[in-house]
Amino acid sequence: MTPKELAGALQRQLNPRRARWQRPAALVRALGLRRGQAIAEIGCGPGYFTPRLARAVGPSGHVYAVDPEPAVLDVMRRRLRGVRNVTPVLGRDDDPLLPRGRCEAAVLINVYHHMHGGARFLRRLVAELPRHARVVNVDWNETTEFGPPPKRRVPRARFLRDARRAGLRLVAERAILPHQYFLVLRRAR
Ligand SMILES: C[S@@+](CC[C@H](N)C(=O)[O-])C[C@H]1O[C@@H](n2cnc3c(N)ncnc32)[C@H](O)[C@@H]1O
């Protein structure tokens, strides 16, 4: 990532106006996190959600904030300022490198459409989570006018096909965001 690309990404992702459509408080509430839980934030970027997730699980909980882009992870780390229950994880493109069996939920927000080989990534992710863990994926609807160009999006149906192949099944869906789907998955039996 060039310095110019990094600056552009930070400008977009940390823009306070983003709250209008991203509804971060409602989104985090809908995750239904409990205090004391260990969770993974996959593709944390510069940390728009990271401190909010850290607050939701509380000081006895933990957030593993994963991103494969070192410069972005550095920004996230600097923005944490005193937040103690977050571990930045430099993941790989094909593997989040989470501590095995530890995270009760993995949250992906605006990430899956950035992944190359997302299906393989999901299989690695599932293998690193305990059986009862939830995976939540939030990404762009196919039809909304706002957001990335349509050809760069991952339609809901395509994500669900990849998820099924990774051994996940859809257990819930929340219609709380104007431009994005919100899918909750668990390991298939
Ligand atoms: C649009 S940003 C979203 C950041 C954050 N989730 C948010 O909503 O503000 C997408 C992030 O996904 C990361 N990413 C891309 N491929 C990834 C992968 N294989 N594993 C984890 N993160 C990835 C990128 O480096 C980038 O920081």
Side-chain angles (χ1 to χ4, degrees), residues 13 18 42-45 48-49 67-69 72 92-93 109-111 114-115 121:
Q13 289 165 38
R18 180 178 169 188
I42 307 295
C44 60
Y48 181 77
F49 280 102
D67 207 286
E69 188 56 63
V72 160
R92 292 200 326 232
D93 276 339
I109 306 170
N110 308 327
V111 173
H114 283 273
M115 289 182 171
F121 184 93

Side-chain angles (χ1 to χ4, degrees), residues 45-60:
Y48 181 77
F49 280 102
T50 316
R52 294 172 164 99
L53 296 173
R55 273 197 300 278
V57 296
S60 59

Side-chain angles (χ1 to χ4, degrees), residues 48-178:
Y48 181 77
F49 280 102
T50 316
R52 294 172 164 99
L53 296 173
R55 273 197 300 278
V57 296
S60 59
H62 206 84
V63 179
Y64 292 87
V66 180
D67 207 286
E69 188 56 63
V72 160
L73 209 59
D74 276 349
V75 175
M76 191 280 291
R77 199 183 275 115
R78 283 200 299 274
R79 290 186 67 247
L80 280 177
R81 283 192 298 249
V83 178
R84 294 187 179 281
N85 59 343
V86 175
T87 299
V89 179
L90 183 63
R92 292 200 326 232
D93 276 339
D94 63 349
D95 191 334
L97 299 176
L98 292 172
R100 203 164 265 268
R102 169 123 169 82
C103 295
E104 294 177 70
V107 179
L108 296 85
I109 306 170
N110 308 327
V111 173
Y112 198 76
H113 74 277
H114 283 273
M115 289 182 171
H116 311 288
R120 196 172 52 190
F121 184 93
L122 282 182
R123 281 197 293 276
R124 297 289 323 156
L125 172 64
V126 167
E128 289 165 15
L129 298 175
R131 276 209 80 82
H132 65 275
R134 286 180 302 144
V135 174
V136 179
N137 184 39
V138 176
D139 216 332
W140 295 95
N141 284 326
E142 236 175 319
T143 49
T144 182
E145 281 172 23
F146 186 74
K151 66 174 189 297
R152 285 193 35 218
R153 303 182 190 189
V154 175
R156 175 185 176 281
R158 197 168 105 213
F159 173 76
L160 286 176
R161 189 194 61 203
D162 289 356
R164 251 192 324 274
R165 289 182 178 158
L168 293 167
R169 67 188 164 94
L170 182 67
V171 295
E173 185 159 8
R174 303 292 305 273
I176 55 162
L177 299 172

